[in-house]
Each structure stands twice: as C-alpha cells, then as structure tokens.
Amino acid sequence: MAIFYPTIEKIKQFKVQPTDGERTLLNFLERTLDDSFEVYFNPFLNGDRPDVLIMRKSYGVMVIEVKDWNLDNFQLNEKRKWVYIPNNSVVKSPIDQVLKYKNNLFDLHVKELLQAKIRDFRNFNIVSCVVYFHCACKSYLEKMLVTPYKDDKKYQTFLKYNIDFLGQDSLNQEDFNALLKKRYLVAERPSWFFTDNLYDNFKRLLSPPLHLRSQGETYNYSDKQKDIIYGEWKNGHREVRLEQRVKGVFGSGKTTVLAARAVQAYKRALERNNNPRVLILTFNITLKNFIHDKMNRVDETFPIENFIIINYHQFINAELNNLNIEFEVPEGLDPEHISEYLESKYYGNIKLFDEHKNEISKYDAVLIDEIQDYHRAWMDIVKNYFRDPLGDYVLFGDVKQNIYGQTTQNKDVVTNVRGVNELKYCYRSDFKVRDLAQSFQKNVFGEKYDVDDFSENRSYSFSFLGQEQEKEGYINYMYLQDKNPVTALYNIIRGNILNKNSNISPNDITILGYTTNLLRTFDLYYRYASRERTNSMLETVEVMYMTHLNYIGKNSDNNPNAGWFNSICEHFKKKLFPNRQKLYDNDITKVRQHVAKLFSIYDLSTTFTNTFEQRLDEECQKCGITLEAFKAFIKHYSEILSQFKQEVYTDNYKNIRDNKKLHFWMNSGTLKVSTINSFKGWESEVVFLILEPKYETSTTFNLSFDELLYTGLTRCRRNLVVINFGNQEYDAKIRPLIERLK
C-alpha cells in the first residue's frame, strides 16, 4: 500500500473532510499503489494547496486536481475559458489551476528544480498534471475537452505533453497504470532526471521534519520583547494582546520577536484546533529563509510545515488559484499600467473574495512583517478574509524603511490595528552605523519621521542572541567619477579581501546597489576575474543564455539559431565527444552549457579586453577551438548572433530572479550581490553600498530613494563602505554625515 501523508486515519479526523471525489480517489490510490509511492493529500506548499500529489522516488511526481463539478453546468467559450452557465461567470480552468501548481513547484517551491529545467528543458517532465472529474466519465470528457478541438494541432500538442484527464470510470487498475506509464512514474528503469537530490528537496518541502526544542537556542530577550512574545504581566499572569502593532528601530530584533511570537501563537491555537496553521506575510520575498532561520532558533517543539511564510502578492496569487478565481490581464493593456490594473482588480480589491468567503480556510494566526510596505487595503483583505477572529494578528515594521512611499499619518504608517509597541534598542550595528543612521534621519528625513534615540545604545560592546561585537567598525566614503565603475568596484572589494590585516572573509561581504544591470555585470566580472563563486539574488548572464539556448537543438530547422548552433556543435564535437558519431540529447545539453559560458566571457572581453582575453582563450581551449576560430565564428554569424544576444539581454527573468531570492541564504561562504530592495530585512558584517549617478523611479514601484538608501546603510553590522559613482545629489547629503564621524 502507498505511504500516505497524512495517514488515512488522520485524514478521517480532519475538521474539514475530503469531498466525495477526493475520498474516492484516495481510496482508489490506497488499493492500487504499492509502498514505493508516496501520496500527499492537500499539502500546504507555502500558499499552494493541490488536492493530491503522488511522488515516486527515482521516477517522478504527479499533481492531481479533483473536481466534483457537474460538467453540465459548464461550457468552454471561444477562447476555451470555462464558463459557469447558471450565472454566466468565468471561472479558472482546472487545467490552468493544476498547471499553476506545477509551475510554482519549479519557479518557487522546490530548490534546484528551476535550475534543472534551465539546464535541460526535459526536466520539466519530472512533474506531470492530471485533472480528475468525479462526476463525469471518460467519454464525456473526450467529447467536451478534446474532440471539438481535434483540428487545433497546437492545442492537441499541448494536451499530449501537459495534461491528462480522469473520469470516475478511469479509476481502474488498467487505465491508471497506463497513465503512470505514460508519465514515467512506472517504467523499466529509473529516470535520469528525477535525481536523489531533487527527490530530497521535494521531500523537505512536502514533509519537513519536526522542529525540536533541543534544536533551538536560549535567547536572553529583553522585557519589552517578552511582553510582545508571551504577553504583558497583569495581575500575576501574562495577558496576550491578540491584535497589536510592533514598531522597531533597525536591528531591534523585530524578526526574531516575530518568529518567537508565531510559535507562541501556534501553541495557543492548539487549544482550538488540533492542526492549526500560522500565516507569516512579508513584502520582500527574500525574507522567507531569514524568517525560517529565526524560527529554527526558537527553543520550542513545533511542526515547521504548519507555518506558511510568503510575500503578499504570491499569497494572493496562490489563493486565487486555490479558489478557482480567474486571473488575467486584458489584451493590449499598456505595460506601464499593468501594475495599476492588477492592484485595482486583485491585490487591492477589498471585495475580491466576497463570493468565496465560505470556501476560505482561515489561518489560526496571522503575522505581517515589513508592514510599512503594505497598503491599508492589503491589511484589510488579509484580516477580514484569512484570519480566524480568535487568532493573533500582529504587525511588525519600521516606517523609516518605507521605500515604496506608502501613505503615512502623524509620521507613521496607517494600519488597521490601534496602538503601538516600540522596540528602541538596536542590537545589530556598531555605534558608528547607529550614529550615521541618526544623522541621516535628522538631516535627510528632516521632519518627515520621528528621530530614533539611540542614547541607551551608546556602547559598541554588547552581546545579543549570540552576536558578539567587541571591535569598533569603520565607515568609509568614496566619490569616484570612473568611466568604468565595475572595474573600480572590483579593485576596491578585492583589495579589502586580499588585505591580510583586514581579516575580512568574502562570506561577510555584501554588495548592495540599485540597478540590476550594474550588479549583474559586476557579478559576472567578479567571478571570472577572481575565479571565485558568488551568491547573487539576480539571474546570472550564463543562466540568461541557457534559458534561450534550451530550446535550440541540433538540426532544429524551425529555429533561426539552429545554423550557428549546428556549426558550434561540430566545432566542439572532437574535443568534448571524441568517440561520438552523432550527438545525443545529453551531449547537446553540455554543448549549451559551454556555449553559455563562452558567450558570457566573450561579452566581458568585448568591454574589458585586457582583463578577459586570456580567460576567453582558456575556455576556448577546453572546447577544442582556438580563440581565433571562435572570433571568426562570431564574425561569420554576427547578424543572427547580434539579434540572439539582444533577445537574451532584454528578456524578462522575473521567475528566475524570484526563485533565487526565495532560496537565498547568507551563510554560503561567498560574496553576496543584491539590490537594496531585495536585501531589506537582512544584515551583513561588511556592506559596500553603491550610489549610482542617477536614480529613476520604475514603472512598477514608486521608490522613495531617501528611504531606500537609509535601508541600505542600516543593513550593515560593523563595516560600511559607501561608493558614490558621480551622484552629486547624494554626495551633498551623505558625505558631510560620514565626515563628521571620523
């Protein structure tokens, strides 16, 4: 019998019982599958809640969406949108719903799964998708979803490779076994693609281990922090304020307190629910791992899988998908107005879930970090629709990190909670960083916000949460009008790392800037000049190339780039595959990887010839081609390659970037590279803060640059180097503040 998570016995005890269709499918799987299969019912995948997920080690994963719908009440319109006939409303297609779960497994949830897909697009087949219609038979599904579109080759190809349908009469051993064979969950030999490492990553997501008290750390919380975590002392016992706002200066332990409060909220919720869920919302998606780390340090026993940590927009997207609410952007909408439309239609629409409020599974506690980045409407949506009224609702934030220009009132953000608890003690930074932060507040913010008082925090020698700070740090300021900031930045940073007297490890250094182009170029330059790895929250240039190379195959006549790709395959063949008469799929994948690396180094060499000419020559030799021959190849295909590179550098890599942010971790042993926005909430021993010549507001966010730079300055624990590449406005603002500290 298959291994069920949770067990069939526990499922029977659920407060909300499975639907008839879910129960029928589970019973069938229990009878049919052996113990090499794992069956997960309603797993909480950080916001996503697929009905059933089947996994078999070394073979693959199948996601099944179950619908108890009477299909007589539905029809497909001319755009194949699902229409509910009684009220003529469009609902989300079950096909789109289950494919969304699959895409999110790659883009968001499973570590290294997206990277595997980028290396070889065939890895996308690791996960297959099925919709089970409990109230329909196979012939009805064929008649409704397949036959009317038999002449649409594109749609038929889509069905063949992406989706399967099950009717109630499909739940027999013969048909289901055929489906498992079709999607390679049953095969003569294990899959080359579903590696043990990927399986382990799936396993950690689907069934994380119980966090034990012995794994935590004993913290010496301040009295104020204890009041927030455990409740305030009144009449000899602690009384918990379920609703409260926590305002804290930078480095005051807000996230540490949030993690501890979340665990206490879970423990209290156990009195009302035997399987409570706690929702922790952020704005910055990179904070997921940071909060996880803080929770792992809490000295309590609790199931980590019961805590959902997600940013607001991903949360709303997940709930829309869970509830079958259609999410679409009108065709022809100006890209500059898409964000405005989405805010009005979805993210800021306080009536969005009105028709589905009885279908929503409420959370037993809700905690929101970075509340200064939230619209008031977002808070109301979360509080009104997703929080159990008997559960905790706690907001954390620092108004001075209001980098997106949210509405303020009386020098503070506007929330839906009365009263404020304040954390005024900074545990993070050296006294010079605190002094700089205070001067910045007085001289740059002016009367916009109240100035933090660090008078109780004057000593730079203290210990908190295992952090010892006994050595005075430093703050440096450089104003450079260098035509090539990347080279200057590299020389400054490498000089600090290689200076034996500085005793600075790359692991302790973070580079913060504003534009992704500069940071991405620096990351590429640093890796090939130093021959060291980095930990970047951005897509690398090699990954950008691989994304576009992935669908270019040898002899693929329908691809305009096939000609030059075939040529380079022949060039590489003798060296990389000396015994091959022809190149196989795995060989082609290796060629793509080499091409991505060569093109990346070539791009560096065109700008920094003296630095990277030799490095390019080395890579050419590894591929069995001379540098001269490679340059001749580039020249011969210059026109088509120029177009190809244009596509590479102008494409949108948001899914890759979000994936890197979600799986970002500080203790990588390498240099970190990030935008200030993405690093908000994190901290680093050494920060190099880059000021670029000009800041321009994006079409996506209305950035407040004073707040943005304040946030960057306060990410530093001890050593701060501000490097200004010709920004006169902020030279006038920051230089005097730093000079006063020397």
Side-chain angles (χ1 to χ4, degrees), residues 30 133 141 196 233 437 496 578 581 643 655 687 708 731 739:
E30 185 183 20
F133 293 96
L141 298 176
D196 287 351
W233 281 108
N496 276 268
Q581 294 297 317
Q643 183 179 345
N655 66 321
V687 170
L708 184 72
D731 180 60
E739 288 182 346

Side-chain angles (χ1 to χ4, degrees), residues 352-589:
L352 178 62
F353 296 102
D354 268 1
E355 296 180 7
H356 301 268
K357 57 187 177 183
N358 295 327
E359 305 169 43
I360 293 174
S361 299
K362 294 185 181 291
Y363 291 87
D364 299 275
V366 176
L367 299 94
I368 303 178
D369 200 8
E370 305 180 295
I371 198 64
Q372 73 277 352
D373 296 331
Y374 274 60
H375 297 300
R376 171 62 188 271
W378 301 358
M379 305 176 208
D380 290 339
I381 290 170
V382 172
K383 185 178 181 181
N384 296 341
Y385 291 106
F386 296 99
R387 173 238 182 176
D388 185 326
L390 299 177
D392 294 39
Y393 180 71
V394 190
L395 315 178
F396 295 79
D398 177 6
V399 68
K400 297 177 186 66
Q401 297 181 49
N402 180 22
I403 67 174
Y404 300 110
Q406 302 298 355
T407 303
T408 59
Q409 184 177 309
N410 297 323
K411 301 182 180 181
D412 202 358
V413 294
V414 180
T415 72
N416 54 2
V417 171
R418 293 183 178 179
V420 176
N421 268 329
E422 292 193 61
L423 298 173
K424 300 180 179 180
Y425 200 95
C426 175
Y427 300 100
R428 173 186 299 159
S429 299
D430 177 84
F431 80 99
K432 287 187 177 180
V433 178
R434 297 196 301 270
D435 286 350
L436 176 60
Q438 191 177 60
S439 296
F440 193 101
Q441 294 173 25
K442 291 178 180 177
N443 293 276
V444 179
F445 290 151
E447 298 296 320
K448 191 174 184 179
Y449 308 115
D450 291 327
V451 177
D452 294 326
D453 181 10
F454 296 111
S455 58
E456 299 178 4
N457 220 170
R458 291 299 302 172
S459 172
Y460 57 82
S461 178
F462 58 86
S463 174
F464 177 67
L465 308 188
Q467 299 178 8
E468 301 285 344
Q469 296 204 176
E470 299 176 350
K471 181 181 177 182
E472 180 180 339
Y474 62 80
I475 298 179
N476 287 340
Y477 179 81
M478 302 179 184
Y479 186 86
L480 304 175
Q481 291 181 304
D482 199 301
K483 294 181 179 179
N484 205 323
V486 172
T487 302
L489 186 59
Y490 174 81
N491 290 333
I492 292 168
I493 293 167
R494 288 300 292 175
N496 276 268
I497 293 173
L498 299 176
N499 182 359
K500 294 181 179 180
N501 294 324
S502 67
N503 197 29
I504 296 175
S505 165
N507 189 57
D508 297 327
I509 297 176
T510 301
I511 315 301
L512 297 181
Y514 168 56
T515 63
T516 56
N517 287 338
L518 174 63
L519 293 170
R520 192 169 57 207
T521 303
F522 168 77
D523 175 72
L524 186 68
Y525 187 109
Y526 185 92
R527 286 187 287 110
Y528 285 106
S530 68
R531 300 176 186 264
E532 294 177 359
R533 294 182 301 108
T534 61
N535 183 8
S536 169
M537 291 201 200
L538 306 167
E539 65 282 358
T540 65
V541 176
E542 296 94 328
V543 165
M544 291 162 55
Y545 274 117
M546 275 299 297
T547 301
H548 285 260
L549 288 165
N550 218 338
Y551 297 96
I552 303 176
K554 190 170 168 54
N555 300 320
S556 51
D557 297 332
N558 60 338
N559 193 304
N561 295 295
W564 66 258
F565 186 76
N566 289 339
S567 175
I568 210 164
C569 282
E570 292 304 313
H571 277 298
F572 290 179
K573 191 169 139 180
K574 290 182 181 180
K575 176 72 173 181
L576 299 177
F577 315 101
N579 300 318
R580 294 278 200 277
Q581 294 297 317
K582 67 173 184 176
L583 298 184
Y584 299 101
D585 288 342
N586 288 344
D587 301 332
I588 298 296
T589 299

Side-chain angles (χ1 to χ4, degrees), residues 8-29:
I8 296 293
E9 290 71 25
K10 285 187 177 180
I11 294 173
K12 293 177 180 178
Q13 299 171 10
F14 279 4
K15 185 177 179 181
V16 179
Q17 283 293 296
T19 66
D20 288 342
E22 291 169 340
R23 188 181 299 106
T24 299
L25 179 62
L26 291 174
N27 290 337
F28 171 76
L29 297 176

